Amino acid sequence: IRGSEFSNIYVIGDANGLLLFDSAAHAQARVAVQNIVGNPTALRLSLVPRSINTNPPAAFVGLTEAEAKASGESSYEVVTVDLESTRSGIEPRGNVIKLLYDHSSRRFLSCLAIGPDSSEIVNLACFWLSTNTPMESFLNISTIHPSPTEYMVRALRRRFDHSF
């Protein structure tokens, strides 16, 4: 709630009804504390990662396809990546990723990951989305082998780097 009569009241977590996830409550608490101590800070809900501990686990950050359409993003593409196809000689873990990629801005709009490494993959995607960095920058990063980040970067190279 924003307004002069409520300027000193902050509601975080499940009590405010916005994104009922632990990560959202933590992000809201940080923003509330920053504002209380005099550092004006805003929260972009689309940049708060969400995770559900199902079997398999799933995590998400960014805009949904419906939100992308509603915001006027017309040149986005859905990119689905099976990370198992980038692993060689390693026991499969079953990670699948769905990305929304905008051709005009050359940036990612969202990441949905399903599998045992979904939280780590979405944490990485959250960083990418938060920095608003062009996709080409991700194709040139070095990663630890083996790791979920490496498999994601390899998959993106296969899809977007046409110099190989």
Side-chain angles (χ1 to χ4, degrees), residues 8-23:
N8 63 340
I9 298 174
Y10 297 88
V11 179
I12 65 167
D14 294 357
N16 68 21
L18 301 172
L19 293 179
L20 307 177
F21 295 94
D22 292 348
S23 55

Side-chain angles (χ1 to χ4, degrees), residues 80-122:
T80 304
V81 178
D82 177 358
L83 292 190
E84 300 319 304
S85 63
T86 62
R87 297 168 62 100
S88 57
I90 299 173
E91 183 178 324
R93 292 185 50 89
N95 293 291
V96 177
I97 300 171
K98 175 183 172 184
L99 301 163
L100 289 187
Y101 172 73
D102 181 45
H103 286 285
S104 61
S105 67
R106 306 199 53 78
R107 287 170 170 71
F108 292 105
L109 303 174
S110 67
C111 176
L112 166 67
I114 301 170
D117 298 317
S118 59
S119 292
E120 288 305 316
I121 291 164
V122 167

Side-chain angles (χ1 to χ4, degrees), residues 10-56:
Y10 297 88
V11 179
I12 65 167
D14 294 357
N16 68 21
L18 301 172
L19 293 179
L20 307 177
F21 295 94
D22 292 348
S23 55
H26 180 76
Q28 293 166 10
R30 185 178 187 295
V31 168
V33 168
Q34 290 297 312
N35 283 289
I36 289 167
V37 299
N39 298 324
T41 306
L43 178 66
R44 288 181 51 197
L45 288 177
S46 67
L47 294 180
V48 176
R50 303 135 212 194
S51 177
I52 56 173
N53 297 312
T54 54
N55 187 12

Side-chain angles (χ1 to χ4, degrees), residues 2 5 11 25 66 89 104 127 131 135 139:
R2 261 301 194 222
E5 65 184 287
V11 179
S104 61
F127 177 76
T131 60
M135 185 270 307
L139 301 180

